[in-house]
Amino acid sequence: MRSDQMKKGLERTPHRALFKALSYTDEELNRPIIGIANSASEVIPGHNHLKDLAAAVKAGVRMAGGTPMEFNTIGVCDGIAMGHKGMKYSLPSRELIADSVEIMGTAYPIDGLVCICDCDKIVPGMLMAMLRLNVPAILVSGGPMLAGCSKKVDIDLITAFEGVAAHASKKISDKDLKEIENESCPGSGSCSGMFTANSMNCLSEALGLGLPGNGTIPAVMAKRIRLGKVGGMKIMELVAKDIKPRDIATQKAFENAITVEMALGSSTNTVLHLPAIANEAGIKLDLSLFNEISEKTPNLCRISPAGTHHMQDLDLAGGIPAVMSELNKKKLIHTSILTVTGRTVKENLHDVQNLDEEVIRPIDSPYTKDGGLSILFGNIAPDGAVVKKAAVDDSMLTYEGPARVFDSEEDAMKAIMGGKIKKGDVVVIRYEGPKGGPGMREMLSPTSAIVGEGLDKDVALITDGRFSGGTRGAAIGHISPEAQEGGVIAIIKEGDKIQIDIPNKSLKLMVDDKEIEERFKKWEQPDFKVKEGYLYRYAKQVTSASTGAIFKV
């Protein structure tokens, strides 16, 4: 066993003495040691119940003959960090999470690993660590929050964000806004739509690194606790068979994940995280692959913010197995590959049925014949930009308008809330990329404000920053190269015409090449906005959004 390095032999007498100070017996130390990486905390709704889930996982490990040893990681709630300096730390926290699990899993040479997590950057950070360590591992998420309800209509966190602008424009009352505040987030779990956290938990199933149900079983269900126990038992099977994450998360597995992503119309942030996760396995996911898969993958689901359904509805419809079963009817997924169940995808999908064709459209009657995300290219984004096409109104799929240029999210918000953005505008927010931000903040506040002002069918937004999985409308992010690195977005001027053509995957600044060249002769790269602490180190190390914002090697 790998853990013998720290517990076997006479020379490890001091090590065993220290473990016995922790109350471990000889019998426990003789068993396989399973690291339990838990992101539980009291500052994130998706994490405040993870102690109970960890207890279930540990019970499963013990039932199967292992010894669990729990440790913790940090976590940032993107919703609470939104709109202030805290959001600059959200994406950078992903690297710290991966690093911390790597450190613990190496300093304590564990035999297996269970990652217990929820929420936006914690899930991909854990998946990165699993592939980096490459010891038998499984991801057990805390599950989604239930949707809230106001005036007999399902609501969620995005309702609260959009409600702020709706209130500012006198569309709803003080009482209405307070009711939304009180009812939109009814309890534990990751926010209830197909936002980043739930998207990544769903894709962990498609990758084969999470058990069926991992992405959709609501946090408050006993079924979630049972899943934790099964996860604890399954890790012991993986250890016994020496099945490692890189045996599971192969090129074909990532192609399955992208296919499921397109069928779900999931968060644009998955385009940031999947390449970073794949990188840990030595796999390069070029952004053009997303478009290739999108072109042949129908969009089957419209979960909030793209539609009115929520994660609990997707779970009742059969969850990710039912989505994959529909896709398999057209042979769009690889079924011979292994998963953490110890079985192949084909075996996992045996007898799986779509239980609600309103939530998961049949493969022959999809919302659209292509996927829910698109990668756009053009002179503004030669290395790519991403849009959640499934959440864009048909009238905005092709669009041209004058640029309204802002060098920060705060400046853009002032203009939107001040009524200075008009129908037909294209809001440009730059110097918010991985380096320029630094930290590539989510733009949920400005996109929600645009929706709340009733302009989501009349105004587009482009940025080298990124968006929440809860964003809807013609919001195009991840523009690469970013402004800080001399991308064309840096020299866009107020009033320049910008052309958006989502069906043809195109994003163009309608200025000739000679004029662009002349503008760059006058452009000077600005200094980093932050010059101390972790953000400064991050800005100097991080690469482009088109590479997953991974660190330089």
Side-chain angles (χ1 to χ4, degrees):
M1 291 188 292
R2 186 170 179 266
S3 61
D4 288 350
Q5 300 172 55
M6 65 178 174
K7 67 182 186 183
K8 285 293 177 94
L10 289 174
E11 69 278 11
R12 296 295 180 253
T13 296
H15 303 63
R16 291 191 296 273
L18 289 166
F19 278 123
K20 287 179 178 179
L22 294 166
S23 301
Y24 290 105
T25 65
D26 286 330
E27 172 62 26
E28 288 173 300
L29 295 178
N30 283 331
R31 296 177 176 182
I33 304 298
I34 306 301
I36 310 294
N38 190 358
S39 59
S41 75
E42 296 180 353
V43 294
I44 306 178
H47 292 199
N48 67 341
H49 65 303
L50 294 187
K51 291 180 182 178
D52 292 337
L53 185 60
V57 171
K58 289 188 285 187
V61 170
R62 293 189 183 104
M63 283 191 286
T67 297
M69 294 186 178
E70 184 178 354
F71 59 89
N72 293 95
T73 67
I74 62 166
V76 173
C77 174
D78 278 24
I80 295 173
M82 198 73 65
H84 58 86
K85 186 178 179 180
M87 180 47 73
K88 290 180 181 285
Y89 286 86
S90 175
L91 181 59
S93 75
R94 185 189 72 181
E95 313 310 311
L96 288 177
I97 291 159
D99 290 349
S100 66
V101 177
E102 175 198 357
I103 288 169
M104 293 299 289
T106 307
Y108 296 82
I110 53 179
D111 299 303
L113 174 69
V114 181
C115 289
I116 302 173
C117 53
D118 242 355
C119 301
D120 288 17
K121 308 308 165 293
I122 301 91
V123 177
M126 293 282 202
L127 288 167
M128 289 167 67
M130 287 166 61
L131 285 162
R132 190 184 301 174
L133 280 170
N134 202 35
V135 298
I138 190 168
L139 186 100
V140 177
S141 84
M145 185 184 292
L146 294 175
C149 185
S150 175
K151 297 178 173 57
K152 298 183 179 180
V153 175
D154 285 348
I155 61 173
D156 54 43
L157 178 66
I158 305 309
T159 315
F161 273 97
E162 293 176 357
V164 173
H167 179 268
S169 58
K170 312 297 184 184
K171 293 181 179 179
I172 62 173
S173 67
D174 291 351
K175 183 179 179 181
D176 290 335
L177 187 62
K178 192 66 177 180
E179 182 174 342
I180 290 169
E181 176 183 327
N182 289 336
E183 303 299 333
S184 57
C185 298
S188 295
S190 49
C191 297
S192 58
M194 191 55 74
F195 314 143
T196 305
N198 292 325
S199 295
M200 291 308 305
N201 280 328
C202 288
L203 296 189
S204 75
E205 290 188 47
L207 274 172
L209 296 175
L211 292 168
N214 188 61
T216 59
I217 298 171
V220 297
M221 305 293 283
K223 190 177 179 181
R224 174 63 58 178
I225 297 297
R226 297 199 301 271
L227 184 79
K229 292 179 181 177
V230 173
M233 293 185 280
K234 281 293 178 183
I235 189 62
M236 296 303 296
E237 287 184 27
L238 297 176
V239 169
K241 295 177 180 177
D242 197 31
I243 297 174
K244 300 183 180 73
R246 293 186 199 175
D247 299 325
I248 294 169
T250 61
Q251 175 72 32
K252 288 183 177 180
F254 279 100
E255 290 173 7
N256 279 355
I258 296 171
T259 301
V260 170
E261 173 183 59
M262 295 304 169
L264 292 174
S266 59
S267 167
T268 53
N269 282 316
T270 59
V271 179
L272 194 67
H273 298 314
L274 282 177
I277 296 164
N279 179 68
E280 300 292 347
I283 297 170
K284 183 179 179 180
L285 294 183
D286 191 86
L287 290 187
S288 61
L289 178 63
F290 288 79
N291 276 345
E292 289 173 19
I293 291 176
S294 178
E295 287 171 4
K296 62 183 180 182
T297 306
N299 179 219
L300 304 180
C301 300
R302 291 283 169 95
I303 310 299
S304 176
T308 58
H309 298 124
H310 288 81
M311 294 304 295
Q312 66 225 48
D313 303 312
L314 181 57
D315 188 60
L316 290 171
I320 300 309
V323 174
M324 294 180 75
S325 179
E326 285 292 343
L327 293 168
N328 193 37
K329 291 175 183 177
K330 296 285 188 181
K331 301 190 183 304
L332 293 174
I333 58 172
H334 304 289
T335 59
S336 62
I337 56 179
L338 193 62
T339 72
V340 289
T341 64
R343 301 178 297 175
T344 64
V345 172
K346 182 178 180 179
E347 290 170 324
N348 288 344
L349 297 182
H350 181 66
D351 287 340
V352 169
Q353 293 182 325
N354 180 356
L355 302 177
D356 190 336
E357 293 186 348
E358 288 188 11
V359 178
I360 305 171
R361 288 277 187 93
I363 194 74
D364 289 322
S365 57
Y367 285 100
T368 58
K369 293 181 179 180
D370 57 355
L373 298 182
S374 290
I375 310 299
L376 310 185
F377 295 93
N379 61 355
I380 297 179
D383 294 339
V386 62
V387 62
K388 188 169 184 173
K389 183 171 72 71
V392 180
D393 188 79
D394 288 347
S395 65
M396 296 291 288
L397 292 174
T398 56
Y399 185 81
E400 185 173 316
R404 304 296 311 282
V405 183
F406 305 94
D407 287 347
S408 71
E409 177 187 1
E410 288 84 357
D411 289 347
M413 274 298 290
K414 288 176 185 176
I416 297 166
M417 297 300 286
K420 295 180 180 179
I421 302 301
K422 307 300 181 184
K423 289 183 178 182
D425 286 344
V426 178
V427 176
V428 178
I429 306 178
R430 63 191 179 192
Y431 295 105
E432 290 288 4
K435 286 182 176 294
M440 202 181 184
R441 288 189 286 182
E442 287 187 347
M443 300 290 158
L444 182 57
S445 294
T447 57
S448 295
I450 287 170
V451 174
E453 292 280 352
L455 294 172
D456 53 306
K457 296 180 183 179
D458 300 291
V459 169
L461 189 155
I462 70 171
T463 180
D464 55 6
R466 60 193 178 90
F467 297 113
S468 164
T471 290
R472 58 191 172 103
I476 300 165
H478 303 201
I479 289 177
S480 302
E482 62 174 292
Q484 184 73 29
E485 293 204 297
V488 170
I489 190 173
I491 53 85
I492 297 175
K493 291 184 177 181
E494 190 83 4
D496 282 346
K497 286 288 190 294
I498 292 174
Q499 184 186 82
I500 298 166
D501 187 345
I502 295 173
N504 289 306
K505 315 292 192 294
S506 175
L507 178 65
K508 292 180 181 179
L509 173 64
M510 304 304 285
V511 172
D512 63 48
D513 293 343
K514 187 175 180 180
E515 172 65 15
I516 290 173
E517 186 179 335
E518 289 299 315
R519 291 185 188 183
F520 269 120
K521 288 179 181 178
K522 301 174 184 177
W523 178 79
E524 293 183 4
Q525 185 179 42
D527 205 349
F528 291 121
K529 291 179 183 176
V530 178
K531 297 181 182 178
E532 61 184 11
Y534 178 59
L535 281 183
Y536 185 44
R537 298 197 305 274
Y538 180 86
K540 291 193 292 184
Q541 288 183 273
V542 71
T543 61
S544 170
S546 63
T547 63
I550 59 175
F551 277 176
K552 296 174 185 174
V553 178

